[in-house]
Amino acid sequence: MYAKNLAFLLHEALVRPDPLSETLERFERLRGYGLLPRGRENAAVRLSDMQIASAVLGFAPTAIGFAGYAALCLGNLRAVVGPDASFRKTATLQETIATILGDDDACRSVVAITLTIDRTDHGDDFHARAILQEDGRRVKVSYVDKMATRLIAGAGDDYDHDRIHAPSARQLTLGPEFFFKLRRDVVIMRELDLPFKTDWTEYETEEEKDAFHRSLGARPSSSFLNLPVDTAVAWPRDPTLVDFAGYKLVLFPRTPDNSHSISIDLTKARMNHEQARTLLNRFLSLLAWCQDQHAILGSGWSGNPVPVPVRKAEKGGTVAGQWVFDRSLPEDEEVLQRLAYYREGLNAREAGLVSYQVLSFFKVFEQRVKSVGRTPNPTKLWIRDNFEAATSALQSAELERFHEARGDTEVHHYIFGNCRVATAHASEQFPSDADASVEIQRLYSAAGIVRALARYYLKTVYSLSDSYFSD
């Protein structure tokens, strides 16, 4: 089974009558993420079951440009129940699909596999669910991000397999007939073992791209981290390889479809994500200082064998069919001030300024009375007494990241000292380096918690409604 043959099969099964050119573009994106063989010299490489599984996952998003990214994220999802209790002891969704395609009995066990892309304010989240027939009984296996598996591993029947984790989601459900037909075609082609045939024209553009990527430092072993940048500093008009502190950075310019972005080869740099983000923040801090302009490093991904630009993120917001607003202006000055702090926190979140985000949300519920003598700080007491109720609606993964970051420090001491004090005025006791990736991640793990506390405070202390047409 060659990639070219697979493209025709999946196009017929999943997206016909859409143009074949769109399916070929999906495969181009998959090659860009190293999920399929790249280049003319690998055109005749026969695909493994794992590669075929990645190609299938690349059809989950409706946006063709996200095929590679979605396939990578979906393929790395872990079974909630853990590998020992998952289908044929497969650890990831990619392994599960590869196992199904590689065995007749496994293929016959499929009832349905649903791939889900949750649409959230901060990007897309990926989930999946497999319904399988094993030993005469129907079994559900859900797949979630590897960061969440340890929170819910062993949940078994208690896990809600049907839950949508966002207000809306895109789903692709693959039934047993899809897997029967695909496995049959794969087996036939492997048995026939036909020689590879092509006119090579489809690889001419790819070879030009390979030469371009090599000029930007891409090597066979490369694994690039790609991050968007929101900035007003002078930026190169063409993709540019930059030397900085002994490392090679790739800068991509803003276009109608892409944002400014920056990439670094983690393999060549011998860095992990945190170290690389810290280096890139140092680079942007110097640029910002030189031109006295803002430079904000956003969130991206890693794993590409070549550096790639980052598409512009869609801004949040909705348009109502019938817009109704009937709210009166609060008369309490404190309410107005705390609402202003809350909006300031949201603005800081949008701009990627996590330290200001934490501090602004904190000021919403900060008690404006001083503790007397050795009496406990009133803000700390309020956090301690209301933390559980305020954060009850948050996802377990978000709470787990927060608790892991605080360690043995009590919640109210951690939020007041390590979050509020560290961001307001860092000291030897509470250090905070705004360029250090580990510190940024620590504050991000607290930002959602502090926001939940702020929202709970306004709703409970001031009975403030969040309706457009009711005080």
Side-chain angles (χ1 to χ4, degrees):
M1 171 66 71
Y2 305 108
K4 189 172 184 179
N5 303 130
L6 183 62
F8 285 108
L9 291 176
L10 294 182
H11 178 79
E12 179 74 16
L14 296 175
V15 293
R16 190 176 62 89
D18 291 353
L20 177 62
S21 60
E22 294 184 357
T23 292
L24 297 179
E25 185 178 346
R26 284 186 190 271
F27 272 61
E28 182 74 17
R29 301 289 180 168
L30 291 164
R31 281 193 284 268
Y33 276 77
L35 299 174
L36 293 177
R38 299 179 64 246
R40 182 193 292 253
E41 67 277 11
N42 293 315
V45 171
R46 291 169 171 82
L47 301 183
S48 67
D49 289 337
M50 290 287 278
Q51 290 172 321
I52 295 173
S54 290
V56 171
L57 295 173
F59 284 80
T62 55
I64 297 170
F66 288 101
Y69 177 64
L72 187 67
C73 292
L74 286 165
N76 284 326
L77 296 181
R78 266 52 172 181
V80 166
V81 293
D84 289 339
S86 70
F87 180 69
R88 302 285 179 91
K89 295 190 175 182
T90 53
T92 67
L93 179 60
Q94 184 189 24
E95 290 179 19
T96 298
I97 293 179
T99 299
I100 290 170
L101 293 173
D103 181 82
D104 285 334
D105 289 337
C107 196
R108 281 192 288 268
S109 70
V110 175
V111 177
I113 294 181
T114 299
L115 313 174
T116 302
I117 304 177
D118 289 339
R119 315 299 297 272
T120 72
D121 292 337
H122 309 296
D124 294 332
D125 289 334
F126 299 88
H127 304 271
R129 179 190 63 194
I131 304 177
L132 306 155
Q133 198 76 23
E134 291 189 273
D135 299 326
R137 62 190 183 93
R138 187 162 290 190
V139 176
K140 289 184 179 180
V141 180
S142 286
Y143 298 82
V144 296
D145 183 88
K146 62 182 179 181
M147 296 297 292
T149 51
R150 59 198 175 100
L151 309 180
I152 49 183
D157 295 335
D158 295 331
Y159 182 76
D160 187 354
H161 297 275
D162 301 314
R163 178 187 175 192
I164 297 296
H165 299 262
S168 65
R170 293 283 188 184
Q171 291 188 327
L172 172 65
T173 299
L174 304 171
E177 289 300 322
F178 168 79
F179 290 101
F180 288 149
K181 186 176 186 305
L182 181 57
R183 169 159 171 75
R184 182 197 65 193
D185 292 339
V186 169
V187 170
I188 290 174
M189 289 190 178
R190 285 174 174 170
E191 288 181 351
L192 292 176
D193 196 23
L194 296 175
F196 180 73
K197 293 182 179 180
T198 182
D199 57 9
W200 300 107
T201 56
E202 63 191 279
Y203 292 95
E204 290 176 357
T205 301
E206 186 172 330
E207 287 179 337
E208 293 175 359
K209 290 181 179 178
D210 284 344
F212 168 70
H213 290 141
R214 285 195 297 272
S215 72
L216 296 179
R219 304 182 303 173
S221 61
S222 292
S223 177
F224 278 89
L225 173 67
N226 309 288
L227 302 173
V229 178
D230 181 0
T231 185
V233 303
W235 205 259
R237 62 181 299 176
D238 299 308
T240 302
L241 189 65
V242 177
D243 287 310
F244 177 71
Y247 299 95
K248 302 288 188 181
L249 312 181
V250 181
L251 274 57
F252 286 99
R254 183 173 55 199
T255 69
D257 296 322
N258 302 325
S259 66
H260 289 312
S261 64
I262 189 168
S263 303
I264 183 172
D265 184 355
L266 298 177
T267 303
K268 185 175 182 180
R270 297 183 179 180
M271 286 183 167
N272 58 31
H273 290 71
E274 290 75 18
Q275 293 168 328
R277 284 190 65 96
T278 300
L279 175 71
L280 300 184
N281 277 323
R282 303 293 189 205
F283 173 71
L284 293 178
S285 292
L286 277 173
L287 288 184
W289 164 251
C290 291
Q291 293 213 302
D292 205 18
Q293 298 285 350
H294 76 280
I296 302 168
L297 190 65
S299 298
W301 70 93
S302 67
N304 292 73
V306 297
V308 296
V310 179
R311 293 179 66 87
K312 287 181 180 177
E314 293 291 335
K315 296 295 183 181
T318 57
V319 177
Q322 184 175 3
W323 196 81
V324 179
F325 183 83
D326 186 20
R327 292 292 301 267
S328 60
L329 182 67
E331 296 180 355
D332 191 328
E333 283 293 328
E334 281 217 1
V335 174
L336 296 176
Q337 291 174 16
R338 293 177 192 274
L339 277 174
Y341 290 141
Y342 190 83
R343 181 172 68 89
E344 188 178 64
L346 295 176
N347 292 344
R349 181 181 68 175
E350 177 65 21
L353 303 174
V354 67
S355 58
Y356 291 100
Q357 179 184 341
V358 169
L359 186 58
S360 296
F361 286 140
F362 184 92
K363 289 190 290 186
V364 173
F365 57 82
E366 189 169 22
Q367 307 298 296
R368 297 180 179 180
V369 293
K370 293 183 178 180
S371 55
V372 180
R374 294 182 175 274
T375 59
N377 182 283
T379 303
K380 290 183 181 180
L381 291 179
W382 186 87
I383 296 171
R384 183 198 65 188
D385 295 341
N386 293 276
F387 179 83
E388 186 173 346
T391 60
S392 61
L394 297 180
Q395 292 190 12
S396 57
E398 186 172 10
L399 284 168
E400 174 67 14
R401 286 192 294 269
F402 169 78
H403 289 309
E404 183 177 348
R406 73 177 176 86
D408 296 330
T409 307
E410 292 185 75
V411 167
H412 53 292
H413 290 304
Y414 179 76
I415 292 176
F416 189 92
N418 301 75
C419 297
R420 180 260 183 187
V421 174
T423 54
H425 36 79
S427 63
E428 184 177 352
Q429 184 180 2
F430 300 109
S432 186
D433 183 347
D435 270 351
S437 180
V438 173
E439 173 66 2
I440 292 172
Q441 294 303 315
R442 182 185 74 81
L443 292 176
Y444 268 120
S445 72
I449 306 297
V450 181
R451 173 175 168 264
L453 287 165
R455 199 164 186 85
Y456 183 79
Y457 184 86
L458 290 171
K459 284 186 173 183
T460 57
V461 175
Y462 293 103
S463 301
L464 194 64
S465 166
D466 57 7
S467 169
Y468 260 36
F469 43 86
S470 173
D471 288 343

